[in-house]
Amino acid sequence: MKRSFLLNASLLTLVVLSALFSCSKSPQVSEKILPDSPSGFSFVEIKRSFESDYAAVPQTRADGEFDESEILSPGWITPLWDSVSVYYDEHLFQAGVVFEARYGYRLLRRDDTGLPELFPMPSRLIVLKDSDTDETASYLRFFIPDAGCGESDAGNGFSGLVLYTMLSGCPVSVGKFSGGVLSESASLWDDSRTIEENVDKIIGLLQDICVARVRPRSVTRGIDGNNLIEDVVIVGHAPINVFDDLISMGPAIPPIEPPFGGIDFGGNSGGGGGNSDSGGSSGASYPKNPKITMDKPTVRAVLDSLYNDCMGQLLINAIGKSVTITSGYFGGSRVMPVVYDLPTGPLITGYNVEIGFRCDPVSVMEELMHVYQYQRLGIVDFQDAKMNNEVEAKLAWYMYLERVGSKVKFDNALGGHEGERHFSSMRNYVLQNDLASPVFTDAYENAVGELRNIKAYKNEDRYPFDPGKMNVENLLELLKDCINK
């Protein structure tokens, strides 16, 4: 690549793009690029430019010992070329491409209690072309939103960091935005500073930013019947660092830009390694709790029905992580946590709920009850007493149906007529706040026995029962302000 493009890109960074943020005129967006497009930056040229740059990157396709200096290394990159969009201004074409990679990326932050949490880190393959010189360059671009910012803040402009790296994952420039306005930036090739000053400035902007690199692995835990959780393993996590050996690599400086094409905080913006499994948005948000998204109006109607009752309202309001509800599946319903393995243990970052052929308050409430149980218990305790949690979830919707006066019969879901009789007995003792009664214990054990007659619950290894946890603490938490309402 010619040095002239390095200089032109440097000027673009400091001059042309500063105008983008001071003018109300938005960058123009081309139509979808096709192979025979007459655009100034054709699909063929975009693809050829990337492949040329990618061929020069040392490839490490096999797993090896984790190296913290390679925290943003993608491992390999596969662009999804049908996603190409081109943005351009007077001097620069920018092609943004969703990509898959061996590794994905998540922001690692800690909550108020010090526990680790993972957040989306949207990414794109960026291929640039200087329209004056026809020089091109390829980069990876990462959005690092400020803590507490997300999709709902998009209307106010992006706040956070925009980080560009080489295709190998080596950082080369970073810009800081507040409300869509560039407030500070740094690049390894800013000629107004020494190399040492540029490195220090980049490090300063990236200070305290910790990234987890993840990849899919074989499924390991059962969820429901023959369904499995697809685990994602944390390969390693570390602060983003800038190293001295980057300075001699000589990439062109990418311009620091706001997210012209928008940011998908649901995690569907590429980066592979599980970037699309965040349990994030896949439809309309439920107004009563925006952490819940729905795919169909029928799901909204069911949620509204649940919300009309005190018990359903408390359950919906108690959902604290993103839950995506999709419906219309053949068969039964299930909840699938999005699970990551951290050194401190498994971490759930969201939930995918699939509702089967029967989309009604019973099915939705049972799965949301499982989400609530996961939140309160964690994945290990949930799995170790999975049959107990099935009993509690079914008792929850059984009590809901009794509260609202429903005449619809769901005794088959409780193990038949005998099963319903045991759940009715448990309900009475819950309302009397007498869980210490041996009659409640007997009803609980008998309910487990009846549920074992249902094919899905026959496997005791997949649905273990813990006699020491015959309680309904999660249900009581939901009922404590609702029993007399």
Side-chain angles (χ1 to χ4, degrees):
M1 188 175 297
K2 297 180 180 178
R3 183 66 182 175
S4 60
F5 184 45
L6 308 185
L7 299 176
N8 287 338
S10 179
L11 292 175
L12 287 172
T13 302
L14 300 175
V15 180
V16 175
L17 290 163
S18 63
L20 291 178
F21 303 108
S22 61
C23 299
S24 60
K25 181 180 178 180
S26 299
Q28 296 178 327
V29 183
S30 73
E31 297 298 324
K32 186 172 181 179
I33 301 298
L34 299 175
D36 58 351
S37 171
S39 164
F41 201 16
S42 69
F43 174 85
V44 172
E45 188 176 7
I46 294 168
K47 190 169 183 290
R48 183 174 61 240
S49 298
F50 162 75
E51 290 175 346
S52 175
D53 291 337
Y54 189 49
V57 178
Q59 301 297 307
T60 304
R61 300 178 182 274
D63 284 333
E65 185 176 346
F66 174 69
D67 185 348
E68 287 190 353
S69 69
E70 299 178 350
I71 186 66
L72 291 180
S73 171
W76 46 257
I77 300 171
T78 302
L80 305 182
W81 292 116
D82 59 353
S83 70
V84 176
S85 295
V86 174
Y87 309 94
Y88 59 94
D89 59 31
E90 185 178 357
H91 297 282
L92 187 73
F93 287 93
Q94 172 186 262
V97 189
V98 175
F99 68 95
E100 293 180 346
R102 180 171 187 80
Y103 302 113
Y105 316 94
R106 298 290 186 274
L107 291 175
L108 182 65
R109 289 175 171 144
R110 297 187 179 274
D111 61 19
D112 295 337
T113 65
L115 294 176
E117 290 188 291
L118 297 179
F119 297 89
M121 188 173 171
S123 54
R124 283 287 191 274
L125 164 66
I126 301 297
V127 184
L128 301 175
K129 177 183 177 181
D130 186 326
S131 60
D132 295 330
T133 65
D134 289 336
E135 296 286 353
T136 62
S138 303
Y139 304 93
L140 301 180
R141 183 183 66 189
F142 300 92
F143 291 118
I144 305 175
D146 287 343
C149 294
E151 191 172 14
S152 60
D153 303 297
N156 299 322
F158 176 72
S159 293
L161 300 177
V162 178
L163 172 66
Y164 282 82
T165 77
M166 299 175 63
L167 297 182
S168 62
C170 298
V172 292
S173 68
V174 60
K176 183 176 182 179
F177 288 85
S178 178
V181 177
L182 180 66
S183 59
E184 196 172 0
S185 64
S187 169
L188 289 181
W189 286 269
D190 181 352
D191 292 335
S192 67
R193 300 185 181 94
T194 66
I195 290 178
E196 291 76 13
E197 289 172 337
N198 289 332
V199 170
D200 288 343
K201 188 166 180 60
I202 292 177
I203 291 174
L205 288 174
L206 294 174
Q207 191 172 11
D208 300 327
I209 301 297
C210 194
V211 174
R213 190 173 76 180
V214 303
R215 70 166 181 265
R217 73 173 186 186
S218 300
V219 294
T220 57
R221 297 188 182 91
I223 272 291
D224 206 356
N226 294 323
N227 301 313
L228 297 170
I229 297 174
E230 182 174 342
D231 267 359
V232 176
V233 63
I234 300 293
V235 177
H237 62 272
I240 299 175
N241 294 318
V242 181
F243 299 92
D244 291 338
D245 60 352
L246 302 183
I247 298 171
S248 63
M249 301 182 76
I253 302 173
I256 300 298
E257 301 172 343
F260 295 159
I263 307 175
D264 178 1
F265 285 97
N268 299 317
S269 55
N275 260 20
S276 61
D277 66 352
S278 60
S281 301
S282 70
S285 296
Y286 185 58
K288 306 295 186 181
N289 185 343
K291 291 185 178 297
I292 301 175
T293 58
M294 318 152 291
D295 69 333
K296 294 184 178 71
T298 52
V299 178
R300 165 67 186 268
V302 169
L303 291 172
D304 285 341
S305 177
L306 288 173
Y307 206 83
N308 285 333
D309 177 73
C310 173
M311 189 176 169
Q313 184 178 134
L314 285 177
L315 176 58
I316 290 172
N317 288 341
I319 301 301
K321 292 187 181 295
S322 62
V323 175
T324 299
I325 304 177
T326 53
S327 58
Y329 293 90
F330 179 79
S333 302
R334 62 176 180 168
V335 58
M336 296 177 292
V338 179
V339 184
Y340 294 88
D341 282 345
L342 292 179
T344 53
L347 174 68
I348 299 175
T349 62
Y351 305 85
N352 294 319
V353 172
E354 295 181 352
I355 302 299
F357 61 85
R358 196 180 64 204
C359 185
D360 52 34
V362 166
S363 299
V364 174
M365 188 173 193
E366 178 163 344
E367 302 313 323
L368 289 183
M369 190 66 189
H370 286 322
V371 169
Y372 184 64
Q373 291 166 334
Y374 270 117
Q375 285 185 177
R376 289 174 57 84
L377 301 174
I379 191 168
V380 174
D381 287 343
F382 181 96
Q383 296 288 341
D384 287 347
K386 196 171 183 182
M387 194 63 174
N388 302 64
N389 292 315
E390 291 295 331
V391 171
E392 184 181 45
K394 286 175 168 51
L395 181 58
W397 62 253
Y398 180 80
M399 295 187 70
Y400 164 80
L401 292 180
E402 293 291 322
R403 285 172 55 83
V404 300
S406 173
K407 302 300 182 183
V408 180
K409 302 293 288 183
F410 288 92
D411 53 317
N412 287 339
L414 301 175
H417 176 72
E418 283 299 304
E420 183 178 12
R421 185 171 67 84
H422 299 312
F423 276 93
S424 177
S425 178
M426 283 191 289
R427 168 185 175 271
N428 293 333
Y429 279 89
V430 168
L431 294 177
Q432 296 168 21
N433 194 25
D434 189 11
L435 302 189
S437 169
V439 180
F440 173 82
T441 303
D442 289 343
Y444 197 118
E445 290 180 329
N446 290 332
V448 171
E450 296 301 325
L451 288 179
R452 290 292 187 200
N453 294 324
I454 298 176
K455 182 179 180 180
Y457 305 123
K458 285 183 180 294
N459 189 327
E460 296 187 15
D461 291 331
R462 192 174 295 281
Y463 283 88
F465 171 61
D466 188 340
K469 296 181 179 179
M470 286 192 292
N471 55 58
V472 288
E473 294 179 354
N474 303 301
L475 175 59
L476 291 176
E477 188 68 22
L478 292 178
L479 280 172
K480 65 181 181 183
D481 296 322
C482 295
I483 289 181
N484 297 318
K485 291 185 180 180

